[in-house]
Amino acid sequence: MAIGEYLWLVPLLPLVGAAINGFRAAYAKGEKSKTLTNGVALGSTLLSAIIASFAAWRYGLAKVPYEVVYWDWIPAGLGNVAGGLLGNFNVELGLQIDSLSITMMMVVTWIGFLIHVYATGYMGHEKGYTRFFAYLNLFMFMMLLLVLGNNYVVMFVGWEGVGLCSYLLIGFYYDKTFAADAGKKAFITNRIGDFGFLLGIFLLFNWFGTADYTKVFALAAHDPLRFEGVATLLCLCLFVGACGKSAQFPLYVWLPDAMAGPTPVSALIHAATMVTAGVYMVVRSNVLFRLSPEAMLVVACVGAFTAIFAATIGLAQNDIKKVLAYSTVSQLGYMFLAAGVGAYTAAIFHLMTHAFFKACLFLGAGSVIHGCSGEQDMRKMGGLGKYMPRTHVTMGIATVAIAGIPPLAGFFSKDEILASAFFKRFETLGEPWSWFPLVLFGVGMLAAMCTAFYMFRLYFMTFVGEYRGAAEAGHGAHAGHDAHGHDDHSQGHADDHGHYGGAPHESPWSMTGVLWILAVGSILAGLVGFPLALIGKHQPTYFQSWLEPILLPIGGHAFHFHEAELTMEVILIAASVAVAVIGIVIAYFFYKADPSWSKPKQLAAGAPKLYDVLLNKYYVDEIYGATVIRGTIVLSLILKWIDTNIVDGAVNGVRHVTVLIFGHGSNLVDKYVVDGAVNGVASGAKGSSTLLRRMQTGVVQNYALVMGAGVVLLAVVYLAFEVLGKMQG
Amino acid sequence: MTWADLLFLLPEIVLSIGGCLLLLAPVIGGRNNGVAAKWSMLLLLVATAAAIYVAAGAGIPSLALGTLFVADPFAVFFKLLFVVVIAMITLLSAEFLEDGRYSAWEYYSLMAFALCGMMFMASGTHLISIYVGLELLSLASYILAGYYKNETRSTEAAMKYFVLGATSSGILLYGMSLIYGACGSLHLEAISQAVATMAGNQALIIGVMLLGAGLCFKVAAVPFHVWTPDVYTGAPTPVTAFLSTASKVAAFAIFARIFYMGLHSLEPDWNSIIATVAALSMIVGNLAAVTQTNVKRMLAYSSIAHAGYALLGVLAMSEIGLQGVLIYMLVYAFANIGTWAMVMLLRRREYAGENVDDFDGLHKSAPLYAFAMVVFLLSLGGIPPTAGFIGKYYLFAAAISAGYAWLAVIAVLMSAVSMFYYFRLVVAMYLKDGAAADVIPSRQVRFIVIVCLIATLTLGILPERMIRGAARSIAPIVNLASR
């Protein structure tokens, strides 16, 4: 059986699940059966995951990329494109299987399924349980469409779809204004990104005459010289889209707020899958990016900057989900750094390992929040290792993995990224940009240290020491500041458990079992990227060989993975482990060895300004509020004002002149003509009097004058263009 | 005038007679019966649709009234769309007409005459026949806009619309007379032949400019849009739906036909003007909508922006561009009527439904309708997989392939801005609690919402038939333009 005959089931099954549960949520009367909801939601996802695995296995046997077109979605036909050529504006709805889409598909289906299982436990007490799973399944459908689509337009459909699901899920606790605002922020920021993406798609059509991956990449790879000139603009447009979806600077602001949604959503959408769509897009477009070293350098710089920027914010956060949110932004930065320095496989490798340990961390955080009856402030936790051992161990494993300690997953992927940055040179860009990746390498090392520090800070504050729950209520001035970001899981719980404010408790197996699976993944997933140089084989890692087919040779030159001397490789590994250990040791001395946390408090007191800046996330939200948002609103108000008042203001002068000249005459017209007309139309006395008043304030005449001015404007425009044309000609 | 002429004119004849009968019905029946009027109107529309079908099948050359009138596929496309739109508006109007305060027979007869005017516009190949159709539509529209006789806002809207509409007709006619002076004919084909050798003729260009200004008024494009927010807000909501879809679509039908059939070889002279109008419409319409809190006003500004997008298709002067205009009109009609139906749905409770707040919490009380509204807004914003995406895709692709990349950039950027204010309604419905919780939709409005929902999704996911239909419909015009 050809893969195409059943591949469509992979995205479609979750859609069917979403439809069934969505319909039940909207129309079923009374209490909905949770068993049925679970059966539909989990069953469809599991089945989809199994079929996906089967397809992956079949692909693995032959390693032949496979593309199947199901229907001609937009049969637009031919049109002119750049250079007087005819391009094909058709869009087909097709799916594509190759090593990249399989990797993404496996991550999405299996991690998605695990998180569904977890959510049955976590969301058990919530209102709108069925609706929640309908949204979650719909998300799975859109995400699978995004990663499996065979052209950019289908990717865009999925892209918009996952966005929509994300807003709906962020706002799932819809009775809270914060969640509503967070959803709105995510939406608007993503629109800026989509603007870039959509422009990129149109530019593709314009220059390549198609948006199909295979055709675009074949053209670009076959004739690189022809497209080099346009690649930079095209790639930057696409990258703007990626920045929006994958929360890169300066469009990252929505992601931390998005954590207002339920924790399984944070894990699935805002850590493991949706936010990595931008990385997927850049890696998918690697042929285009490789044509433009400038664009690659931009990607690398934005990635590295985001990595360090978000990591430093993470140092000072006290909300457990906020720490993880900034950590996610930072790790996504790593992935873009990797893509920017040409280590596309490392980007996807880190994407995959990150999906394991970050999902584990988020779900662990959810378990902690669940156990502490909705508390998210780490200053009110502590000593939870005693109460929730399974959560403790699994989260501990994931923390070690993200910190980059071998042989856990995060170490291999992060090391590969840093090594790639270290060895990359942009020769064609000249000094000093040629060796700029070395700077990015340094930034990446620093960010790695911060990561190790804030993750172990989280670990020590949460699981080690004494429980500070009830005793430290009403802590500090900043507690209120963070509080509105909470997912406030307590709402549905307080009455069920009857231990609000009591001792924390371990979560049910449906949650911790998932944590275990993800923890095991966090340990093992890195082995596929084991650097074979260490055992004396000079060849790409297994993961690199797996993804090699998508790195098409450009202009006949095959893609080269960086190769290094064994000694150099070992030195880099030692350095990257060393920075991680330094971070961990500092966290240990700050938060474990000294239970009163005197050192960090001294530091914060010693540099209050710096601490404030970090705590308030560099005031970026405030800056945006004061500039971009204010600017748009002011512009809109100005336009509105012009529209309603231009009449009374600028034009009034003209009217007065007219009245002076025609004086009496116009009054007569008003009296007889207008009165007559009005009386004909309006029988009510009140209507006609108000109407007359409005007529006499000149609104209508002035509107007519505006129209006259409009004609003049058109004439001026015409003449201006004429003159310009003459000057050019 | 021959029998064949009558056959080609059958839909218009059916409508004219039907409109008169509707007007006479209360004299015969003696009672203001909203239900009977509604069914009579629907019956008339079915008869019209059948007549369109008969006329379309009557053969080639399909010219009537000498050469003033043509029943080509382009006209048929728009006529069928008009009938569907008017049928939906009939059902939307039923509600406020059935309580007996306003004369239903008169209302529907005006609607029938407006439809007749629109049909003449779609079929006109001569500036005079087009103008007569336009005036028939406009006169009916002025009265319809003031149909809430006892409401100040409504009469004021009618008055403004009338005065400004008359001004714009004057501008339009002046433009036509200049074109006649330059070309010696008002027939589009004759104009097309004449202008081919007249690039740079000042009188002709001023004529085209004035003609364009008059048309821009009808489609509500900046800077001839000032009437739109006031009239849309003041008119009864079904009439607003009529003005923002049927009337606008008809205006685009003549806009496209005049510019593609008559003035295509003059394109280097008018492209700067249309490009400016399109850019201004998109920018002003979308930015001014951002801060509106009244939904009707917000949609009014948004409809100004939509005129700007559709103008890209006129500007492109290509097959894709003209197809884009047709497709955009079709998908815009459904999404827009659906949105207005939602406003009416909430309007049941006195004057509610006009403010963004009135949508608060709708998704809890009426999940299907909230979902439908999201689909309509996504379609207006051009987000896949709704139909609006297909329309925007065509128009933007046309703009780019015609070399107007800068306009496409503005268009994409402004559709991003448009999602900002559309999304406010989504936030209100899904993320807030509120008053909308107790809405009880009327059956007819519900029906329209569902129809528009199905159409918007189907045309978005399976647009093939629509695209092929549009491609067939533009054939006669494109053939002429390329000759």
Side-chain angles (χ1 to χ4, degrees):
Chain A
M1 199 161 52
I3 293 180
E5 285 172 33
Y6 54 86
L7 188 63
W8 54 275
L9 281 168
V10 174
L12 205 71
L13 281 168
L15 180 66
V16 172
I20 296 174
N21 273 339
F23 191 77
R24 290 181 58 229
Y27 287 103
K29 295 273 179 286
E31 196 69 12
K32 282 125 202 153
S33 152
K34 279 203 176 124
T35 327
L36 186 55
T37 304
N38 292 346
V40 170
L42 270 60
S44 63
T45 323
L46 179 64
L47 207 55
S48 159
I50 290 170
I51 296 172
S53 310
F54 184 68
W57 172 67
R58 290 291 297 262
Y59 172 82
L61 292 181
K63 296 249 171 61
V64 183
Y66 190 92
E67 199 181 335
V68 50
V69 173
Y70 291 105
W71 82 81
D72 214 4
W73 180 32
I74 309 182
L78 300 175
N80 294 315
V81 296
L85 300 170
L86 268 189
N88 196 341
F89 282 80
N90 284 0
V91 179
E92 291 159 338
L93 202 134
L95 302 183
Q96 176 174 356
I97 275 290
D98 60 12
S99 50
L100 178 58
S101 58
I102 282 190
T103 312
M104 295 298 292
M105 176 174 77
M106 295 300 276
V107 169
V108 172
T109 51
W110 282 108
I111 299 222
F113 170 69
L114 290 176
I115 293 175
H116 272 68
V117 173
Y118 176 94
T120 58
Y122 189 85
M123 300 300 288
H125 312 286
E126 299 292 335
K127 283 179 287 179
Y129 184 82
T130 309
R131 185 164 56 95
F132 176 82
F133 278 98
Y135 290 161
L136 219 52
N137 270 15
L138 184 63
F139 168 80
M140 294 287 286
F141 163 70
M142 291 296 182
M143 189 68 206
L144 287 165
L145 201 60
L146 194 163
V147 298
L148 290 177
N150 73 336
N151 63 60
Y152 283 95
V153 182
V154 174
M155 188 202 273
F156 185 69
V157 175
W159 192 271
E160 291 296 332
V162 288
L164 192 69
C165 297
S166 150
Y167 320 130
L168 292 175
L169 284 164
I170 292 170
F172 186 74
Y173 298 122
Y174 44 75
D175 27 37
K176 295 202 301 183
T177 24
F178 183 82
D181 287 347
K184 208 160 148 183
K185 195 170 182 180
F187 186 84
I188 293 164
T189 322
N190 270 295
R191 293 309 302 176
I192 300 171
D194 293 349
F195 162 64
F197 190 7
L198 206 53
L199 271 189
I201 292 177
F202 281 116
L203 289 179
L204 272 171
F205 271 114
N206 195 33
W207 286 319
F208 291 85
T210 176
D212 281 5
Y213 298 145
T214 32
K215 288 180 196 145
V216 169
F217 302 149
L219 272 172
H222 178 254
D223 194 359
L225 291 178
R226 190 174 135 211
F227 296 106
E228 258 172 10
V230 297
T232 307
L233 180 60
L234 175 60
C235 291
L236 288 181
C237 280
L238 293 176
F239 182 56
V240 169
C243 280
K245 189 106 306 183
S246 292
Q248 293 300 289
F249 187 87
L251 299 180
Y252 71 95
V253 286
W254 65 273
L255 185 57
D257 284 10
M259 300 305 165
T263 302
V265 173
S266 312
L268 177 61
I269 300 184
H270 304 124
T273 56
M274 183 187 84
V275 290
T276 61
V279 180
Y280 165 75
M281 185 234 264
V282 171
V283 174
R284 175 58 83 195
S285 320
N286 69 78
V287 178
L288 302 174
F289 278 88
R290 276 150 66 200
L291 292 181
S292 165
E294 293 87 351
M296 281 178 71
L297 186 61
V298 171
V299 173
C301 289
V302 169
F305 181 73
T306 309
I308 187 77
F309 183 80
T312 52
I313 296 176
L315 299 176
Q317 300 302 311
N318 290 318
D319 181 321
I320 188 166
K321 283 182 79 180
K322 277 274 156 70
V323 175
L324 293 177
Y326 282 103
S327 156
T328 305
V329 175
S330 168
Q331 297 299 312
L332 288 166
Y334 270 108
M335 297 175 207
F336 280 105
L337 169 61
V341 297
Y344 300 100
T345 55
I348 294 295
F349 185 30
H350 196 56
L351 186 160
M352 184 184 78
T353 58
H354 177 254
F356 280 105
F357 55 68
K358 191 48 74 58
C360 185
L361 286 168
F362 262 113
L363 296 183
S367 174
V368 166
I369 296 167
H370 188 93
C372 296
S373 304
E375 186 52 64
Q376 289 185 215
D377 192 334
M378 295 190 295
R379 289 169 302 195
K380 296 179 191 165
M381 296 175 180
L384 296 181
K386 283 197 289 280
Y387 303 101
M388 22 197 358
R390 297 193 295 269
T391 307
H392 173 211
V393 175
T394 50
M395 247 184 121
I397 293 169
T399 307
V400 178
I402 191 177
I405 301 295
L408 276 69
F411 160 75
F412 290 106
S413 50
K414 199 177 284 187
D415 180 63
E416 195 181 323
I417 292 173
L418 291 172
S420 309
F422 185 81
F423 291 112
K424 176 73 183 177
R425 294 291 174 275
F426 287 108
E427 277 93 1
T428 51
L429 293 183
E431 302 289 332
W433 300 113
S434 160
W435 47 263
F436 201 70
L438 266 184
V439 177
L440 303 180
F441 166 77
V443 173
M445 289 298 249
L446 202 59
M449 190 158 76
C450 294
T451 308
F453 172 79
Y454 67 67
M455 283 314 301
F456 270 85
R457 171 175 174 267
L458 180 149
Y459 173 77
F460 290 133
M461 282 177 86
T462 312
F463 292 106
V464 182
E466 289 303 314
Y467 182 58
R468 299 177 294 275
E472 288 207 17
H475 192 291
H478 295 297
H481 184 81
D482 286 337
H484 56 209
H486 290 185
D487 114 9
D488 235 356
H489 190 60
S490 59
Q491 283 189 330
H493 278 282
D495 38 347
D496 284 312
H497 290 253
H499 60 67
Y500 192 67
H505 62 104
E506 181 61 292
S507 304
W509 268 104
S510 62
M511 290 160 68
T512 51
V514 170
L515 288 179
W516 267 114
I517 297 173
L518 290 170
V520 171
S522 310
I523 299 173
L524 299 178
L527 295 178
V528 294
F530 184 82
L532 297 176
L534 291 185
I535 51 172
K537 287 189 190 166
H538 283 282
Q539 63 188 53
T541 67
Y542 293 118
F543 197 74
Q544 284 172 335
S545 324
W546 163 252
L547 279 184
E548 203 177 355
I550 64 152
L551 303 163
L552 298 179
I554 291 183
H557 302 290
F559 186 87
H560 279 292
F561 295 104
H562 80 86
E563 278 173 29
E565 296 290 313
L566 180 60
T567 41
M568 206 59 218
E569 195 88 42
V570 172
I571 290 172
L572 279 176
I573 288 175
S576 102
V577 174
V579 292
V581 171
I582 293 171
I584 296 170
V585 169
I586 298 175
Y588 179 85
F589 280 112
F590 275 22
Y591 293 96
K592 171 72 170 65
D594 171 15
S596 66
W597 304 344
S598 54
K599 286 251 175 45
K601 283 176 184 164
Q602 274 170 19
L603 270 180
K609 288 238 173 72
L610 180 67
Y611 179 71
D612 263 2
V613 167
L614 287 185
L615 189 69
N616 290 305
K617 305 130 194 169
Y618 293 97
Y619 293 102
V620 172
D621 279 337
E622 287 76 5
I623 293 169
Y624 282 179
T627 53
V628 183
I629 296 170
R630 197 118 210 98
T632 314
I633 289 176
V634 167
L635 192 58
S636 165
L637 286 176
I638 290 174
L639 279 170
K640 195 169 137 189
W641 183 87
I642 290 176
D643 248 37
T644 45
N645 293 324
I646 192 165
V647 218
D648 297 337
V651 187
N652 254 359
V654 185
R655 190 173 56 83
H656 287 313
V657 176
T658 325
V659 171
L660 264 180
I661 295 169
F662 295 101
H664 209 62
S666 75
N667 276 347
L668 283 177
V669 170
D670 258 19
K671 199 167 175 188
Y672 294 106
V673 179
V674 176
D675 250 13
V678 167
N679 287 342
V681 178
S683 50
K686 186 176 137 226
S688 62
S689 73
T690 319
L691 180 59
L692 252 165
R693 187 168 54 72
R694 297 284 296 217
M695 295 291 291
Q696 281 172 347
T697 57
V699 174
V700 175
Q701 289 96 319
N702 292 341
Y703 280 6
L705 213 55
V706 171
M707 284 181 47
V711 175
V712 175
L713 176 77
L714 293 193
V716 170
V717 166
Y718 168 72
L719 289 175
F721 274 89
E722 277 295 280
V723 172
L724 273 178
K726 287 225 172 75
M727 275 162 61
Q728 278 170 359
Chain B
M1 179 80 82
T2 63
W3 283 111
D5 276 21
L6 290 184
L7 200 54
F8 290 126
L9 285 168
L10 194 59
E12 287 77 6
I13 292 171
V14 168
L15 264 179
S16 311
I17 295 174
C20 293
L21 288 178
L22 285 172
L23 203 55
L24 290 174
V27 181
I28 304 162
R31 230 157 52 84
N32 180 21
N33 186 336
V35 180
K38 177 183 77 187
W39 285 109
S40 313
M41 180 68 184
L42 290 176
L43 195 67
L44 176 59
L45 290 173
V46 171
T48 311
I52 293 171
Y53 183 77
V54 170
I60 310 232
S62 67
L63 291 168
L65 306 175
T67 52
L68 294 180
F69 184 98
V70 63
D72 60 0
F74 181 82
V76 171
F77 177 94
F78 277 102
K79 285 178 185 180
L80 287 175
L81 178 56
F82 294 153
V83 170
V84 172
V85 166
I86 297 291
M88 292 198 283
I89 288 172
T90 303
L91 287 175
L92 287 184
S93 313
E95 207 179 324
F96 90 94
L97 293 170
E98 274 168 20
D99 68 4
R101 278 187 299 162
Y102 302 102
S103 164
W105 294 103
E106 252 174 60
Y107 180 91
Y108 288 124
S109 108
L110 285 169
M111 205 57 106
F113 288 128
L115 178 57
C116 189
M118 284 153 56
M119 293 206 165
F120 267 106
M121 288 162 77
S123 274
T125 53
H126 190 280
L127 289 182
I128 289 300
S129 56
I130 289 173
Y131 178 74
V132 170
L134 182 64
E135 278 306 289
L136 184 53
L137 164 67
S138 302
L139 289 172
S141 307
Y142 303 145
I143 306 173
L144 286 171
Y147 218 73
Y148 278 161
K149 288 187 276 213
N150 303 324
E151 297 287 344
T152 317
R153 277 201 312 184
S154 181
T155 33
E156 188 186 322
M159 208 53 222
K160 274 183 189 157
Y161 193 27
F162 172 65
V163 173
L164 295 173
T167 315
S168 83
S169 290
I171 294 175
L172 190 79
L173 273 182
Y174 192 43
M176 288 179 180
S177 65
L178 282 173
I179 292 174
Y180 181 74
C183 303
S185 171
L186 284 171
H187 195 276
L188 291 179
E189 273 192 62
I191 293 175
S192 161
Q193 280 159 14
V195 298
T197 56
M198 292 175 75
N201 181 321
Q202 299 294 330
L204 181 62
I205 289 161
I206 294 173
V208 171
M209 205 180 288
L210 293 175
L211 176 73
L215 292 173
C216 285
F217 174 88
K218 298 295 176 197
V219 301
V222 179
F224 307 99
H225 68 291
V226 276
W227 59 279
T228 323
D230 287 353
V231 173
Y232 281 19
T233 323
T237 309
V239 176
T240 310
F242 167 78
L243 293 177
S244 71
T245 50
S247 174
K248 193 184 280 254
V249 173
F252 264 108
I254 57 173
F255 214 133
R257 196 190 280 273
I258 292 175
F259 277 75
Y260 272 85
M261 265 179 90
L263 302 171
H264 58 92
S265 53
L266 212 57
E267 193 239 334
D269 282 317
W270 54 255
N271 60 11
S272 59
I273 301 172
I274 300 293
T276 311
V277 170
L280 282 178
S281 303
M282 292 186 285
I283 294 170
V284 173
N286 280 318
L287 284 180
V290 167
T291 44
Q292 303 294 337
T293 49
N294 179 310
V295 177
K296 287 178 90 174
R297 240 183 144 74
M298 184 178 99
L299 290 174
Y301 279 108
S302 127
S303 95
I304 293 169
H306 285 290
Y309 302 129
L311 279 177
L312 296 180
V314 176
L315 185 61
M317 279 290 127
S318 66
E319 245 175 88
I320 291 191
L322 190 54
Q323 277 183 49
V325 175
L326 267 61
I327 291 170
Y328 202 74
M329 288 298 119
L330 181 64
V331 300
Y332 167 79
F334 283 109
N336 207 31
I337 290 190
T339 317
W340 287 112
M342 287 299 298
V343 173
M344 290 194 57
L345 214 149
L346 299 184
R347 223 189 130 94
R348 278 295 281 172
R349 297 171 302 128
E350 304 309 319
Y351 270 83
E354 285 201 8
N355 287 322
V356 176
D357 308 348
D358 294 321
F359 283 81
D360 285 0
L362 186 68
H363 115 279
K364 274 193 218 158
S365 57
L368 179 64
Y369 298 99
F371 171 71
M373 187 68 175
V374 172
V375 171
F376 299 147
L377 295 173
L378 291 179
S379 187
L380 290 175
I383 307 280
T386 57
F389 173 71
I390 314 282
K392 285 222 167 73
Y393 175 80
Y394 264 78
L395 292 174
F396 297 178
I400 286 194
S401 74
Y404 295 99
W406 62 277
L407 267 179
V409 171
I410 293 180
V412 175
L413 184 64
M414 283 300 140
S415 15
V417 171
S418 77
M419 283 317 295
F420 178 88
Y421 57 85
Y422 293 139
F423 191 65
R424 289 220 318 251
L425 286 170
V426 179
V427 169
M429 289 187 299
Y430 278 84
L431 307 181
K432 288 187 179 161
D433 283 327
D438 61 338
V439 73
I440 304 161
S442 92
R443 201 187 302 154
Q444 303 170 70
V445 178
R446 274 190 294 180
F447 176 70
I448 296 300
V449 172
I450 302 297
V451 167
C452 290
L453 172 67
I454 293 171
T456 303
L457 284 177
T458 316
L459 293 178
I461 296 168
L462 302 165
E464 198 183 331
R465 290 175 68 92
M466 165 176 73
I467 289 168
R468 303 238 183 271
R472 267 199 307 276
S473 305
I474 64 161
I477 294 190
V478 172
N479 289 344
L480 192 80
S482 59
R483 203 163 61 201

